[in-house]
């Protein structure tokens, strides 16, 4: 039902499965995967906002990375949405990065609020608690689908995180202040490097 020559995109949080599914589109339609890096912890049409994409990055995943004419067309169509910039990548790299920058954050936040202390946090919490728990409020059906579609990359990130957490746990169990201080310094330095970029 798409008009010949139409540009079709999506806003899904994973790209490998989407690009695979887009193969059913007729050749008369140009498809490019899209992922606006914007949103809130709330879902559904009632929580939509006209300015949600204003100032947000947009990730674009064309079927062929070097399709210059298609990318030029995409970049001309996006400005009215208000995106701050456009990143062009492959489906595999997108899904690998999203496992780290988005999906892991949701897993960690969701697991963190399962502590019984979460029910007693008022009066004891501030910005760090709010920052860490915001995305625990999620649509479990949507995120289940996203996690399963991207499970290989997400499992790799989980294994890495569990390894790091084990290092902190071991240092605490051993009462090893020097090791704990080193681990904390390593994390601070990593954050400084990220922010400097």
């Amino acid at each position: 039902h798409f008009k010949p020559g139409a540009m079709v995109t999506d806003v899904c949080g994973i790209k490998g499965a989407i690009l695979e599914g887009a193969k059913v589109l007729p050749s008369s339609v140009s498809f490019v995967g899209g992922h606006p890096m914007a949103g809130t912890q709330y879902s559904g049409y009632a929580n939509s906002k006209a300015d949600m994409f204003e100032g947000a990055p947009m990730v674009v995943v064309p079927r062929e990375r070097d399709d210059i004419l298609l990318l030029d067309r995409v970049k001309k169509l996006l400005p009215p949405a208000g995106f701050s910039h456009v990143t062009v990548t492959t489906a595999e790299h997108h899904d690998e990065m999203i496992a780290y920058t988005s999906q892991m954050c949701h897993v960690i936040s969701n697991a963190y609020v399962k502590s019984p202390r979460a029910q007693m946090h008022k009066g004891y919490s501030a910005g760090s608690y709010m920052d860490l728990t915001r995305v625990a409020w999620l649509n479990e059906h949507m995120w289940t689908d996203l996690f399963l579609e991207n499970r290989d990359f997400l499992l790799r990130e989980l294994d890495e995180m569990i390894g790091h957490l084990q290092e902190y746990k071991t240092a605490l169990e051993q009462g090893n202040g020097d090791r704990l201080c080193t681990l904390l310094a390593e994390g601070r330095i990593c954050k400084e490097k990220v922010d400097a970029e």
Side-chain angles (χ1 to χ4, degrees), residues 5 25-26 38 57 79 86 88 90 97 103 121 141 163-164 167:
L25 290 171
V86 175
V88 179
T90 64
M97 292 305 299
Q103 295 179 343
H121 81 89
H141 302 289
H164 290 304
E167 291 178 322

Side-chain angles (χ1 to χ4, degrees), residues 102-120:
S102 178
Q103 295 179 343
M104 274 295 290
C105 298
H106 286 77
V107 168
I108 292 166
S109 180
N110 198 268
Y112 180 72
V113 296
K114 291 179 180 177
S115 167
R117 263 71 58 204
Q119 301 302 316
M120 302 177 269

Side-chain angles (χ1 to χ4, degrees), residues 4-187:
M7 169 71 69
V8 178
T9 190
D10 73 300
V11 292
C12 188
I14 53 155
K15 286 282 130 338
I18 295 296
L19 262 67
E20 188 62 31
K23 289 179 180 177
V24 302
L25 290 171
S27 59
S28 62
V29 171
S30 297
F31 178 82
V32 62
H35 187 183
M37 301 307 299
T40 70
Q41 66 269 35
Y42 307 110
S43 63
Y45 184 77
N47 293 300
S48 60
K49 296 181 190 175
D51 62 350
M52 184 174 286
F53 299 154
E54 198 69 43
M58 173 65 158
V59 181
V60 171
V61 183
R63 289 192 240 196
E64 295 176 33
R65 185 137 186 220
D66 57 353
D67 190 338
I68 304 301
L69 294 176
L70 176 70
L71 292 174
D72 184 58
R73 190 172 165 205
V74 169
K75 288 182 180 180
K76 286 177 181 169
L77 288 171
L78 290 176
F83 293 108
S84 61
H85 65 279
V86 175
T87 299
V88 179
T89 189
T90 64
E92 182 177 21
H93 185 66
H94 169 276
D95 292 354
E96 177 182 29
M97 292 305 299
I98 292 306
Y100 172 71
T101 64
S102 178
Q103 295 179 343
M104 274 295 290
C105 298
H106 286 77
V107 168
I108 292 166
S109 180
N110 198 268
Y112 180 72
V113 296
K114 291 179 180 177
S115 167
R117 263 71 58 204
Q119 301 302 316
M120 302 177 269
H121 81 89
K122 288 188 177 156
Y124 298 92
S125 59
S128 56
Y129 177 84
M130 298 306 290
D131 290 346
L132 186 57
T133 61
R134 181 181 68 83
V135 295
W137 192 332
L138 48 68
N139 178 324
E140 60 272 15
H141 302 289
M142 179 186 81
W143 284 98
T144 295
D145 290 344
L146 290 169
F147 290 168
L148 289 174
E149 285 288 350
N150 205 30
R151 65 182 166 269
D152 292 341
F153 287 127
L154 184 53
L155 282 168
R156 189 174 73 190
E157 290 299 331
L158 276 166
D159 285 342
E160 188 160 333
M161 174 63 73
I162 290 166
H164 290 304
L165 290 173
Q166 187 59 54
E167 291 178 322
Y168 291 94
K169 184 180 180 204
T170 299
L172 285 166
E173 286 172 342
Q174 296 171 349
N176 189 337
D178 290 340
R179 177 65 179 143
L180 188 57
C181 190
T182 297
L183 291 169
L184 294 169
E186 288 170 356

